[in-house]
Amino acid sequence: MAVPEEIRRVPRPKNTFVVDSKTDIYSVREKTGCGYYVDADGKAHRPSRNGRVVGHIINGIYVAKKTDDGLPPVGDVDLKDYANVHLCRIKSLDLLDSLRRQYNEEESVRIYVIAILRACYDGIQDYMLDRQYEETFLSEVYPGVNLEKSKVSRFLRDVGRSGSRIVRFMREQVDECGDDDIIIFDGTLKRDESIVNSYSAASRKTSAQKYRHVNVMTAYSLKRKEQIASRVYPGNMVDLRIVSDFIDLLELTKGLIVADRGFPPEAFRIALRGRPGIDYLVPLERDRNVIRDLQLLEMTNVLPGTDIAFRTAESIDEDGRPVFYYAFRDPRIAMDEETRYLRQHSVEGIDPMKVEEYRKEWGTIVFASSRRMEPSFVRSTYADRWMIETSFKFQRSQLDDDTTDEESDYTVQASQFIDHLASVMASRMRNAFEEAGLLERYTYDQVYSLLLRLKMTREHGGEWKLVRIADKDAQVSVVLDIIQKPIVPSLPPKKRGRPVGSKDKKPRKKRGKAAGRGLKDPAEPVS
């Protein structure tokens, strides 16, 4: 008679197996190796044999066997990271609710826990997840999550195979954006040298960096200061096709899309056909004919309170929709570009005619948009586009999210989905640091290192308690509402001066130089 499936799924130590039983109590034994051999057909075998009993499964719960001294075997973790995973968890509980609308409870919690671990521990690999999970307080809040390497790999494959659920999750996040939200589009390349998945391909940077990439398209909400959607595309796919597919996939119906020079306005004009509620704002390359035809560099106006000149114009595109142009010239940027040009061409010689021609373009930027806006709003909105670049930089440095070597297309999509969740969680943690004013005194790494000092501990399987740390280190957790008060109470300040009643009650004896020379004590009255 085989062991029931529900019994075999009960969480138990690694490298163990359940022994069949005629009662409701099942023994759990260790697996021990007994050699390695190759049979006559050339097939390798590494058999195992029954080891000692390490515990029992009683009423669906694994109970560790006690040793002769009455203590449980070594291996239970009694000191776990707390503050970092707790802050990440409480700031992203809505993501878990969204996951539950697409996946069952077990799958939702597993995705959520993996995302938290990726957000909290730089460059963590799949084979490290199980150990790190046991060493954090997540294993107490969400017990029984199976994060063994082989299980995680299979789980990611299954998540990727159900790709429509990932799409529905992203659409929910996009639907939460309002009509006044500004959505920043941008793509980033991730290194991927896999020869198995079809996303790895030669990109525009392959010739310089000597390796292949996958292309990750990302939508960033300027209002929420976090990513709202992302998707993986082949590294050699052009931006025109990516934009059209990405917008259709997310079913965008409202908002203003802002992109950089890498995305031509034609890509958005085609992608937004039949979507009147969405507008775009895209800078143009300086060699565009429309800049010369509309004389957009002949600027006559100045933004109030600045020295930046601007000019606006309007035309009609091929679909009959109006296109609005906004041109700006920043004299400081123009000076920097001219200085850089003169330095680069000082050896070969400088052509005064070319310098005069380039001066018309130096320091300028021209935008095309499907919406009529104030020039000051256009400039400030595009200036805020740096936030997505900061997000990418943060992912590469803090999350170590610049490579992927997944074994199949399914795992590539699933891993990117979890990386997306981890990026949102990390952004919310950083926003919490910023709102609490901590980044004015510390760097992100310094704040995070202080959070790592706050741990939970217990004695002999008892109640979990916070580890005592220095008062100044605990203040960071207090400011972030992780704990209500410092762990180490501050002592009352001491009063300056001597304690009451400590002065001499009797006359002081002669001492010092006066006593040595036979002189009178200065305190005695002069006769």
Side-chain angles (χ1 to χ4, degrees):
M1 182 178 179
V3 178
E5 179 69 18
E6 62 272 13
I7 298 299
R8 288 191 286 110
R9 289 190 176 184
V10 172
R12 61 180 189 275
K14 292 182 179 179
N15 297 321
T16 61
F17 65 97
V18 183
V19 181
D20 189 19
S21 174
K22 295 181 180 180
T23 66
D24 294 335
I25 300 177
Y26 297 84
S27 299
V28 178
R29 289 181 174 272
E30 286 183 335
K31 290 182 179 179
T32 58
C34 58
Y36 170 88
Y37 68 93
V38 179
D39 60 18
D41 298 329
K43 186 177 180 180
H45 294 269
R46 192 183 297 274
S48 60
R49 62 185 178 188
N50 297 352
R52 65 186 180 90
V53 176
V54 296
H56 298 83
I57 296 179
I58 306 173
N59 296 329
I61 301 175
Y62 171 74
V63 179
K65 181 181 178 182
K66 293 185 178 181
T67 56
D68 296 337
D69 54 6
L71 297 177
V74 176
D76 292 339
V77 183
D78 292 328
L79 181 66
K80 300 190 177 187
D81 293 346
Y82 175 72
N84 59 336
V85 295
H86 175 75
L87 179 65
C88 187
R89 185 181 66 85
I90 63 176
K91 291 296 181 181
S92 54
L93 287 174
D94 60 308
L95 296 178
L96 179 57
D97 294 335
S98 299
L99 287 170
R100 285 170 172 155
R101 289 192 286 271
Q102 307 300 332
Y103 302 92
N104 62 38
E105 181 66 19
E106 180 183 355
E107 295 167 342
S108 301
V109 171
R110 188 183 293 190
I111 294 173
Y112 186 63
V113 168
I114 295 175
I116 291 178
L117 293 175
R118 289 192 182 184
C120 292
Y121 298 96
D122 300 349
I124 187 169
Q125 302 296 322
D126 290 348
Y127 71 89
M128 305 176 185
L129 290 173
D130 190 35
R131 177 187 62 81
Q132 196 65 66
Y133 164 73
E134 294 294 339
E135 295 176 0
T136 65
F137 207 68
L138 288 174
S139 55
E140 301 299 322
V141 181
Y142 305 108
V145 179
N146 193 339
L147 296 180
E148 294 183 13
K149 180 181 177 181
S150 59
K151 302 294 184 180
V152 170
S153 178
R154 182 177 300 177
F155 177 68
L156 291 179
R157 183 197 62 191
D158 293 340
V159 172
R161 291 169 66 179
S162 302
S164 60
R165 301 188 186 188
I166 299 177
V167 174
R168 289 198 298 268
F169 178 92
M170 300 289 185
R171 287 174 180 172
E172 278 194 7
Q173 302 300 308
V174 171
D175 289 342
E176 294 179 4
C177 297
D179 296 337
D180 59 340
D181 204 347
I182 298 172
I183 303 174
I184 303 172
F185 272 29
D186 205 353
T188 183
L189 296 175
K190 284 187 178 182
R191 177 176 178 174
D192 192 326
E193 289 291 338
S194 173
I195 59 174
V196 180
N197 73 72
S198 62
Y199 290 101
S200 176
S203 69
R204 63 181 184 276
K205 293 185 178 180
T206 297
S207 59
Q209 298 181 352
K210 309 304 180 185
Y211 46 74
R212 299 187 301 274
H213 299 87
V214 297
N215 200 340
V216 181
M217 188 67 180
T218 302
Y220 183 94
S221 171
L222 193 59
K223 187 176 182 179
R224 292 158 58 177
K225 295 183 179 180
E226 64 184 36
Q227 294 183 12
I228 56 175
S230 66
R231 188 168 179 82
V232 178
Y233 293 93
N236 59 354
M237 194 169 177
V238 296
D239 293 335
L240 179 63
R241 294 188 60 189
I242 290 178
V243 167
S244 179
D245 180 80
F246 196 54
I247 292 176
D248 289 341
L249 189 75
L250 300 180
E251 297 182 349
L252 283 169
T253 58
K254 54 189 176 183
L256 174 65
I257 298 176
V258 181
D260 62 6
R261 283 194 177 99
F263 299 91
E266 292 80 10
F268 292 98
R269 179 174 58 82
I270 296 172
L272 298 182
R273 285 174 178 170
R275 303 177 187 271
I278 312 178
D279 294 295
Y280 63 86
L281 177 64
V282 185
L284 302 178
E285 298 289 345
R286 288 177 175 176
D287 58 354
R288 287 271 182 160
N289 294 332
V290 67
I291 297 177
R292 182 185 66 254
D293 297 340
L294 297 179
Q295 299 180 348
L296 293 174
L297 299 184
E298 303 297 330
M299 304 178 192
T300 57
N301 301 312
V302 179
L303 291 177
T306 69
D307 55 356
I308 299 174
F310 75 92
R311 179 183 177 87
T312 61
E314 183 178 346
S315 67
I316 303 297
D317 63 15
E318 298 177 358
D319 298 329
R321 295 184 60 180
V323 180
F324 304 94
Y325 298 95
Y326 307 88
F328 301 90
R329 175 183 284 112
D330 190 329
R332 288 165 295 186
I333 298 178
M335 183 181 298
D336 292 341
E337 291 185 1
E338 182 173 353
T339 302
R340 192 181 309 114
Y341 177 84
L342 295 177
R343 287 177 179 174
Q344 291 175 350
H345 297 79
S346 59
V347 177
E348 61 188 41
I350 299 173
D351 187 351
M353 300 295 293
K354 286 187 176 181
V355 172
E356 192 64 28
E357 180 182 353
Y358 292 153
R359 276 179 180 162
K360 297 180 181 179
E361 300 179 350
W362 282 332
T364 63
I365 184 170
V366 180
F367 298 94
S369 177
S370 58
R371 178 187 297 185
R372 187 190 299 274
M373 297 173 285
E374 290 294 328
S376 58
F377 176 79
V378 172
R379 182 165 180 81
S380 63
T381 298
Y382 189 75
D384 289 337
R385 199 197 67 83
W386 66 270
M387 295 184 67
I388 193 172
E389 299 293 347
T390 303
S391 177
F392 288 154
K393 183 178 180 181
F394 178 77
Q395 291 179 50
R396 289 189 290 268
S397 61
Q398 300 296 333
L399 305 184
D400 196 19
D401 184 22
D402 58 352
T403 60
T404 175
D405 294 304
E406 300 295 343
E407 61 182 8
S408 69
D409 292 356
Y410 298 128
T411 54
V412 168
Q413 288 286 2
S415 184
Q416 174 55 36
F417 174 47
I418 297 179
D419 282 345
H420 167 78
L421 296 175
S423 177
V424 174
M425 294 173 178
S427 297
R428 292 183 179 182
M429 291 178 66
R430 189 183 188 282
N431 293 340
F433 296 166
E434 187 175 4
E435 292 170 2
L438 295 172
L439 296 183
E440 297 176 2
R441 294 176 292 164
Y442 309 101
T443 65
Y444 179 92
D445 290 338
Q446 289 172 336
V447 177
Y448 195 80
S449 65
L450 292 176
L451 292 181
L452 285 173
R453 298 183 184 182
L454 186 60
K455 302 176 184 291
M456 281 284 193
T457 186
R458 65 180 177 182
E459 294 183 3
H460 304 303
E463 182 181 355
W464 288 97
K465 298 180 180 179
L466 288 168
V467 174
R468 288 182 175 270
I469 60 175
D471 183 27
K472 62 179 181 179
D473 296 342
Q475 288 299 328
V476 170
S477 298
V478 174
V479 172
L480 294 171
D481 291 330
I482 298 175
I483 55 178
Q484 297 299 321
K485 59 183 179 180
I487 300 173
V488 181
S490 300
L491 297 176
K494 296 182 179 179
K495 294 183 178 180
R496 300 184 63 181
R498 293 180 178 179
V500 178
S502 63
K503 293 185 177 180
D504 295 338
K505 300 291 179 71
K506 299 178 180 181
R508 304 179 67 183
K509 296 181 180 180
K510 296 179 181 180
R511 55 175 175 260
K513 295 182 179 179
R517 294 195 299 267
L519 300 178
K520 292 184 178 181
D521 193 301
E524 296 182 4
V526 180
S527 58

